[in-house]
Structures are given as structure tokens and as C-alpha cells.
Amino acid sequence: MTPKLHLRLVERFRDVFGQKGEVKLYFAPGRLTFIGELIDYSGGDTITAAVDRGTYLVVRKRPDNKINIYGHSFKAKKSFTFNELEKNKEDEWAVYFKGVFSVLLEREYKITGMDIYAYTDLPFNTSLASSSSLCACLTYAIFDINALDKTDIIELAKLSYEGEIKYASHRTSLSDHITIFLGKENSLLLFNMFKMSYEYLDINLGEYCIAVVNSNKKRTSSDSEYNARKRECDNALKKLKEKKSSIKYLSDLKPKDADFIKETLQNKEQRRALYVSSEEDRVNQAVKAIKKGAIKDLASLISKTHEGLSKLYEVSTAEQDILVEEASKMDGVIGARMIGTGFGGGVLIVLKKSEVENVIEALYTNYKEKTRRDADVYIVKSTNGVRILPIE
């Protein structure tokens, strides 16, 4: 039986754009990083999952070069043609659509216009890659509706990534798009961006589940701070290579190299290098834990990542620290950390399924008391990557 949401989205498309013509419904999941946060640009590995919330696009092909979009979340319509793909101040959320179409046309793909109804159940500002999900869904839809070859999934992910960063004011990662395209139910993805290598890791959480909490602290200065962290890592690598030329990436360093790092680097550069080396080691330990089904060990590593992100990489906020601290005190919670690029956003919690209601209630109350902000909690699980959904 076709899910009611699918039918309702098609109905809403018809209400906005009319009854004529064949339509298709596409879905792209969000992305959640379990461990390996912010070390991909230092040569590190990441362990991620495509999650069962995401972007839905109802699409109808047009015979011309006009793009009409209705954004459900914004209750607004945007229109432009292939001759109007330059960014302007009125675009707002439409910059992502313009970016993807612009990149594909620059690459000389033969595509036409579209009518698009866009819907998402991904919470914004929660570090679940909502904009990457949108660009991935749109890229796949354009390829499919124009009968282009979709077999090279890695290439589609790269195009989606280029489309997102074309005009976006924030930073994202290719690993987000790879995860969204390659996601697999009941699996995590081990990925290295520099090597372009990946491996599926089967995971069975058993009595546990994953919650994502929105701190409702909007990100501030994350782009400039992201650039600063990357620059500090690059500078650290340069200085370390002067003393040990065999080092190719910061992630090549091991925890046993801590003294070498402390002798060579100072202040921020030292802290960044210590975080990258320890986080890469945690990723390696996490792979072993996942393969053994040792969820408690995985959760413990996740908690240690938060300490590194907060104290060494210095990207956590007071609100995220409070959420992690409060959650970690609660019965049934075995791991918690901030997620995303930092300076606002979400928190990941590993907890017992039997304690979900108690944890949500207590976390909401305690967080509200300490910050006067709401803590919105979402239970998520891994799912398959970008796909076409049934509408009949």
C-alpha cells in the first residue's frame, strides 16, 4: 500500500501546479555522523549513516527551460529560467536549486525545466545535512526525469556537492553527499574523502536506539570558524611535516605521537592536531566495536569525541555541552556528543529504547530550566540512499 504521505504530497503538487502531466516522487535521506567528526579534511575517516528523515520532491518535467518550485516549509513559490541562474538577494532557499541546475548546465548535461514541490521532515539547524539532502534529491531527480545515466553514484554525489557549494554561505562536505547517495538500511558507512574509499558496516543496535536533539541554538559564525579550524590544521600539518616528512595527513598521527605534537606545536594548532589524531584512533576503535556488535563500546567512543570537540577542537556551544551533560546523567543513556560543524546545532544520544520517553521528558525539562530553550528530540534509524518512491 502506498504511504499516505506520498499520496498527500502528489495531491499538494497538483493543487499548486495543476492536474496535467506525469509526476514522480523522489526521496533523499539526511546524514548523521556517528564518529569521525570534522577530520575528513585532515585525511581522516568518517562513520556516517543515512537517516530515515529527509527531502521529498514531487517533480514534473517541462518542455521549456523554466523552473517553478514550491517550498512547503516556507509556504512560498520561486521561479527562474536557465538564463537566470545567477545568485541574487531574493533567492533565499532557492540558491540550492540554482546551484545544482547551474553546475549541471556548466557540465553540458542535456536537461529541461521542471515543476517541483519540495517537502522535508528534516529539522533545520540540527546537523542532519538538510541542504545536502535537498541537493542530492534534486540532482537525482534531474538525472532521472531527463533519462540521464545514473549508474555512477559517486559522480552524482560529487555533482550534488558542487551544486550545494556553488552559492551556499555555509560549509559542507563531500562525505555528506556520499552518505546520502550510498546509504543502506541497518548499515553505517565508513568513508575516506581523500582516498574515495568506503565500506559498509552492518549494525544491530539491539535494545538501543539513536536520538538526535535540536539545541535550538542557531549556528553563529560557523563558516568563518570552520575556515579557521581548517587553516589551523593545515598550518599544524606543515610544521609537523618539517620534522617528520613521512606524515601525509594529520590523521596519520597516532595517540602515541602526542608528545611529538606537543613538542612541535603550540596553542590552537597543538589542540587541533591532538583532536584529529585521537579522533582517527576512535574511528578505528569504533569499526572494531561495530563489527563485534559492542554498542556500549561504540557509545563510549562517541562520548569521548564530544570531549575532544569541546575541549580540543573548541566547536561546541554551552547549549550543546549542557545537553550532553544532562543526557549522560540519565538512566538508559550510554553515549552522547555534539554533531555537525559546531557553534550550534544538534546532539546525538545513544539510549535504551525502553527509556526513550523518560529521557525525552527529563531532557526537555532540565534543558529548558538551564537555557530557556526547547530541546526537540527525534528518534532516527539508518535507511537506504536517494531513491524514487511509489505514488500509486
Side-chain angles (χ1 to χ4, degrees), residues 38-54:
L38 295 174
I39 64 170
D40 52 353
Y41 53 75
S42 292
D45 298 302
T46 60
I47 298 179
T48 58
V51 297
D52 58 344
R53 286 174 170 265

Side-chain angles (χ1 to χ4, degrees), residues 11 27 39 139 160 162 185 207 241 284 312 314 331:
E11 183 180 345
F27 173 78
I39 64 170
T139 301
S160 171
E162 290 176 21
E185 189 175 5
E207 64 179 317
K241 287 180 75 171
N284 294 331
L312 295 176
E314 300 172 290
D331 290 341

Side-chain angles (χ1 to χ4, degrees), residues 98-115:
K98 281 191 170 184
V100 170
F101 276 101
S102 181
V103 165
L104 294 182
L105 288 168
E106 287 170 3
R107 298 293 188 86
E108 298 184 346
Y109 284 101
K110 303 301 181 185
I111 59 178
T112 66
M114 303 161 73
D115 296 323

Side-chain angles (χ1 to χ4, degrees), residues 248-309:
K248 189 174 182 181
Y249 306 116
L250 273 187
S251 60
D252 292 339
L253 296 163
K254 311 296 182 187
K256 66 181 181 181
D257 294 315
D259 288 341
F260 168 57
I261 292 171
K262 291 175 182 178
E263 291 167 3
T264 308
L265 304 172
Q266 293 182 333
N267 303 321
K268 291 181 179 180
E269 291 173 2
Q270 180 188 109
R271 294 194 293 274
R272 307 308 181 242
L274 288 170
Y275 169 72
V276 172
S277 62
S278 59
E279 182 70 351
E280 178 66 16
D281 182 64
R282 282 189 287 270
V283 171
N284 294 331
Q285 292 182 59
V287 171
K288 295 175 183 177
I290 293 165
K291 290 182 175 180
K292 288 192 302 183
I295 303 304
K296 285 187 177 180
D297 291 346
L298 173 62
S300 176
L301 292 165
I302 285 170
S303 294
K304 290 176 182 176
T305 289
H306 180 77
E307 186 177 350
L309 287 166

Side-chain angles (χ1 to χ4, degrees), residues 15-33:
D15 290 341
V16 174
F17 296 111
Q19 299 296 317
K20 294 182 178 179
E22 178 188 359
V23 300
K24 283 189 171 184
L25 175 61
Y26 301 90
F27 173 78
R31 179 274 305 129
L32 174 64
T33 300

Side-chain angles (χ1 to χ4, degrees), residues 129-303:
S130 57
S131 56
S132 299
S133 173
L134 168 60
C135 292
C137 198
L138 179 60
T139 301
Y140 188 87
I142 294 171
F143 266 68
D144 181 71
I145 213 142
N146 288 283
L148 299 174
D149 184 4
K150 306 189 297 295
T151 55
D152 190 344
I153 297 297
I154 298 297
E155 180 61 20
L156 288 180
K158 290 179 179 178
L159 290 168
S160 171
Y161 169 68
E162 290 176 21
E164 180 176 8
I165 64 173
K166 177 78 175 180
Y167 296 129
S169 59
H170 68 278
R171 291 292 173 178
T172 185
S173 170
L174 176 59
S175 63
D176 296 347
H177 295 259
I178 293 289
T179 302
I180 291 167
F181 273 95
L182 292 178
K184 189 177 176 184
E185 189 175 5
N186 299 320
S187 295
L188 304 181
L189 189 73
L190 174 66
F191 176 67
N192 186 285
M193 186 170 69
F194 285 13
K195 298 174 185 174
M196 289 305 293
S197 61
Y198 66 90
E199 176 187 349
Y200 288 108
L201 304 171
D202 294 337
I203 186 166
N204 181 357
L205 292 171
E207 64 179 317
Y208 299 100
C209 65
I210 303 298
V212 173
V213 188
N214 188 347
S215 69
N216 283 299
K217 171 67 166 66
K218 193 172 182 180
R219 290 191 188 91
T220 55
S221 304
S222 59
D223 190 42
S224 60
E225 294 290 353
Y226 177 100
N227 290 335
R229 297 300 180 281
K230 189 175 185 306
R231 185 170 59 252
E232 288 154 7
C233 286
D234 290 343
N235 291 341
L237 177 62
K238 183 178 179 181
K239 292 176 182 178
L240 291 164
K241 287 180 75 171
E242 288 174 356
K243 294 197 172 184
K244 191 181 288 189
S245 60
S246 60
I247 300 171
K248 189 174 182 181
Y249 306 116
L250 273 187
S251 60
D252 292 339
L253 296 163
K254 311 296 182 187
K256 66 181 181 181
D257 294 315
D259 288 341
F260 168 57
I261 292 171
K262 291 175 182 178
E263 291 167 3
T264 308
L265 304 172
Q266 293 182 333
N267 303 321
K268 291 181 179 180
E269 291 173 2
Q270 180 188 109
R271 294 194 293 274
R272 307 308 181 242
L274 288 170
Y275 169 72
V276 172
S277 62
S278 59
E279 182 70 351
E280 178 66 16
D281 182 64
R282 282 189 287 270
V283 171
N284 294 331
Q285 292 182 59
V287 171
K288 295 175 183 177
I290 293 165
K291 290 182 175 180
K292 288 192 302 183
I295 303 304
K296 285 187 177 180
D297 291 346
L298 173 62
S300 176
L301 292 165
I302 285 170
S303 294

